[in-house]
Amino acid sequence: MQQRLCSRFLLRAAREGRPTSGAAESGTEVPRRPELDSFTLALPKPALSALGAVQKVSKKDPIKEKEGTTVKDECEEETLNREDESDPSVLASTMDSKLSPQDSFSEDSLVSEERSAQEAEEARRKSEEEEAAAKERAAQRQRLATEELVQSERNYLRLLQVSTVTIRSNLQKLQPPPPNLDNMFLYIEEVIDVSSRLLSLLEQKQVRPGDPLFLETLCNSFLSLSSDIEAAYKEYLANYNQVTLLENSYKQKEALWNEIVKAVKASAWVHYFISHTRPEVNATSLSFFLVMPVQRIARYPLLLQTIQKHTDRGHPAYALLEETVHTSIALNSHINEYKRFREVADKYKKTETLTIKDKINRLNTHSIAKKTLRLRQQIKHETGIVPKLVDEEFDALEGFFYVLEHGILELLENVETYLHHLQGFLACKTEEFDLDMDGEKAPVCYKEITTALRQWILPTFEKRMRTLIHKPLCALRDLLVGPRNLIRKRLDKLLDYEVIEAKSNLSYEEQAVVNAYRTINTLLLNELPQFNGLALQMIWSMLGTFSCLHKDLASDMEQLFQSFAQQLPHSSLDPGAFWEWADSAVLERARSLETVCQGVEETLNAPYIQPLSPSSQRRLKQLTDKHGSGKIYQVVGAVVGSRDLDLSLAKGELVAIISEADTRGDKRRWLVDAGGRRGYAPSSKLIRYHQPAEEPPPSPHLMLPESVTGMRRHSYTPESRPLTVTSQPFFQVLAVYDFMARGNHEVSVRAGEPVSVLESHDKRGNPEWSLVQVRSGKRGYVPSNYLTVMPLGLGPPGSHQSYW
């Protein structure tokens, strides 16, 4: 075997021209084998006859060929060995014919490897070209998306300005203008402001959408304004439902809606001619413009995501762009959550004024069951059967809210009382009275000072009080209604929540109850602290304004008094002497005023004498004979018995006092005798009765009508000539309340109308009805407690004439 391998090696070396080992030993340089590129192997062509013979043999007996393969190979090897040993040339040719197919296979494999390498190189080059083209397309799409964001923001801002400026001004020119037009454009100014700020940040830089740095500028601009964008858009979107309702109310009035459509179209075409931009063919209603902020805020994430999709992750601003995308998505989520909270708040903070019939109509099985469960849960809380769910944070906020509410209502009541007294002071124009002090400087200065106060200083002060204090307080009081209703509704939802809290599987309605409670609770926890803080800040601000107003009032009054101070007689005194004189003068005037007030009070509280009917005179005689004149009292007001042994007495009745306390020692209830009836009456409704003195004998010089009875004012002169004196009573009877006649036997009277009492009882002797005659001459019965006796001259103007 080794011999055959050596012979094959020698034949290959001889064919390639390589020296043998002897040549190597002699130091001769061994030539290298030529490269494959220049190597050409000459293969001898076998004889066709031999090849055909081989093919014929294989065709004739393939089985024998297979069986004799081994034998044939062995014979060939033995023959080859013999030839190798006998004839080297024959051996070389034989080896050459044997090795030629293997060398051909090596050459083919090398060619195929070269071809594969070329194809791989071409594929790699093509892939790189495609990747570069894809990057170029992505960069182009990114640039287009960026340009779309900027251009759409520019068009969006332009259309908003058209709706706010042009359309709004044209609608205000309509006669009459649409009602509540300002509510249609509520919060849109804030949206325009934040959009213009974003666009200015994008345009003020020296980079353009094609610049690689523009993406970073865009992201930084959006992130810097994200909080302002959220604040502006959330209020606008929360109010957009009201805009829709208002527009629907306009559509119900066909004539008004046609005018609005004409104004909108005209405004759109005017803007087209001015700005040379494409006219908006769909601009036929206000909603075309007012819905744009709703669509724009939802489009920001889509535009930014498109830019991110076509931006390479290796871009320097990719991380900033990713943050911007997340911010825009979170911004929309916050706005939607705020809108949902506002809808819940608007639903539950409404105050409905329902009649009893409406409340009964609303009752059904579901509402009754729900209220029953709430009442049962409340009873369990009060009795301690079930612990109440406690939220310390909310309880603190709720308590502070109620403290603020009480303080606001008290402050508003005090301000209204203050303004009422100020109006009363302005209504009393004392400077117009004639004080019979003409020529004195002090009264003249007083009149001028008072006139200036009432015509200039105090009216201005009152107007500022109403504008700066009273009106904001009223608005703040109205704002308390919403949080108060939400707090009450939270309590109801809390009771429902506690009932179903322990359940594992909740139905759709129960899950809605849970969501409603959590929404209201979250809303109150987020909004109530802000409301409390703003309300407290407003209260402190109004109190400071109140102090400033009085400081200005004092300054104006001081300036006014200083202008008249030199004209007063005591202006030359030094401050100590002046204040001493002022104290003594004030005390002296105070004592004089107190004396006058006491005199007026005594005059007003003087006992009055009411003429008695014949039946009352008989009762007076009976009670006087039985109890004495010192025990006789008269009822000054109608008494209605409310307890056992209480008497019901009419005004003017005469009673006799039996005991000035009841059986329990209560001195507020006296035991009286009403001429046969005995019982208790309140002591505050009884005054001592003063009988009129006996009339003096008539003077022969006085001509008095016979029909006049009672107390009279006489005028007497010692002259011998007779005098004709007209008697005028001291008192008159007036109607205290309005009374409408219900039949022909009654007569209608108005409050303050003087009447003449013909009989102080009806035909059955009942003192609760009196027969009277009114000014027109008509007679009829009226309730006795509707009448009162007043001193002459104290009644209403024009009622001083008596009809007795």
Side-chain angles (χ1 to χ4, degrees), residues 759 761-766 781:
E759 292 182 359
H761 56 82
D762 58 7
K763 294 181 179 180
R764 298 181 180 179
N766 184 9
Y781 288 97

Side-chain angles (χ1 to χ4, degrees), residues 370-655:
K370 183 168 62 174
K371 294 182 183 299
T372 303
L373 288 175
R374 291 175 181 174
L375 180 60
R376 183 187 305 170
Q377 191 71 11
Q378 189 73 24
I379 293 174
K380 289 181 180 180
H381 288 164
E382 297 297 333
T383 55
I385 299 176
V386 176
K388 184 178 179 181
L389 186 62
V390 178
D391 189 345
E392 296 182 356
E393 182 182 2
F394 176 78
D395 292 342
L397 292 174
E398 181 185 9
F400 188 66
F401 170 78
Y402 284 126
V403 170
L404 278 178
E405 181 183 20
H406 178 72
I408 291 169
L409 296 179
E410 286 288 337
L411 181 59
L412 179 60
E413 182 181 358
N414 293 336
V415 169
E416 289 178 346
T417 304
Y418 182 90
L419 292 174
H420 177 71
H421 291 165
L422 182 59
Q423 288 180 346
F425 178 75
L426 292 174
C428 183
K429 301 179 180 179
T430 56
E431 71 276 5
E432 297 180 358
F433 297 149
D434 188 5
L435 303 177
D436 295 332
M437 300 177 67
D438 297 337
E440 298 185 13
K441 290 185 178 181
V444 172
C445 293
Y446 169 77
K447 286 186 177 182
E448 293 180 358
I449 291 173
T450 309
T451 303
L453 285 175
R454 298 181 188 281
Q455 293 182 357
W456 171 55
I457 296 179
L458 292 180
T460 304
F461 172 75
E462 181 188 8
K463 184 178 180 180
R464 296 180 68 190
M465 278 281 294
R466 292 189 179 278
T467 304
L468 300 177
I469 297 179
H470 184 259
K471 189 175 180 180
L473 274 176
C474 292
L476 189 58
R477 177 198 58 190
D478 297 338
L479 291 176
L480 294 172
V481 178
R484 188 191 312 122
N485 291 341
L486 279 178
I487 290 174
R488 294 174 181 174
K489 182 57 65 174
R490 178 194 175 274
L491 177 60
D492 296 338
K493 296 298 181 182
L494 176 61
L495 296 175
D496 299 338
Y497 176 76
E498 290 177 342
V499 172
I500 63 178
E501 182 185 10
K503 295 184 179 180
S504 58
N505 296 325
L506 300 179
S507 63
Y508 178 79
E509 294 181 355
E510 292 174 343
Q511 187 64 41
V513 171
V514 172
N515 294 337
Y517 164 72
R518 291 175 178 173
T519 300
I520 296 177
N521 188 63
T522 305
L523 179 64
L524 288 173
L525 290 177
N526 293 337
E527 300 293 336
L528 200 56
Q530 301 180 18
F531 180 86
N532 291 342
L534 291 176
L536 183 61
Q537 184 178 356
M538 288 184 64
I539 291 176
W540 284 115
S541 177
M542 283 183 282
L543 291 176
T545 304
F546 186 80
S547 301
C548 292
L549 288 177
H550 282 79
K551 183 178 180 180
D552 295 342
L553 176 64
S555 177
D556 294 339
M557 294 180 69
E558 182 181 5
Q559 183 179 0
L560 177 64
F561 280 104
Q562 285 179 355
S563 62
F564 293 96
Q566 302 299 328
Q567 304 178 18
L568 297 177
H570 302 281
S571 60
S572 59
L573 297 176
D574 58 278
F578 174 79
W579 287 113
E580 183 179 356
W581 167 82
D583 292 340
S584 61
V586 168
L587 291 176
E588 182 180 358
R589 296 299 180 184
R591 285 192 292 267
S592 301
L593 181 61
E594 184 178 0
T595 303
V596 172
C597 292
Q598 289 178 356
V600 172
E601 184 177 0
E602 291 175 358
T603 303
L604 293 177
N605 295 334
Y608 61 90
I609 301 174
Q610 182 177 4
L612 300 177
S613 62
S615 60
S616 298
Q617 290 179 359
R618 289 193 298 270
R619 179 186 296 182
L620 175 61
K621 186 176 182 303
Q622 178 185 358
L623 294 175
T624 303
D625 295 342
K626 187 174 182 181
H627 300 281
S629 59
K631 296 288 187 178
I632 307 301
Y633 280 74
Q634 191 172 20
V635 180
V636 296
V639 178
V640 179
S642 59
R643 292 188 289 180
D644 295 340
L645 300 180
D646 284 356
L647 293 179
S648 295
L649 303 173
K651 183 178 180 180
E653 281 194 60
L654 297 177
V655 295

Side-chain angles (χ1 to χ4, degrees), residues 680-698:
Y680 293 100
S683 59
S684 59
K685 296 293 183 71
L686 302 176
I687 63 171
R688 187 180 298 275
Y689 180 72
H690 298 272
Q691 297 184 9
E694 295 293 336
E695 297 180 6

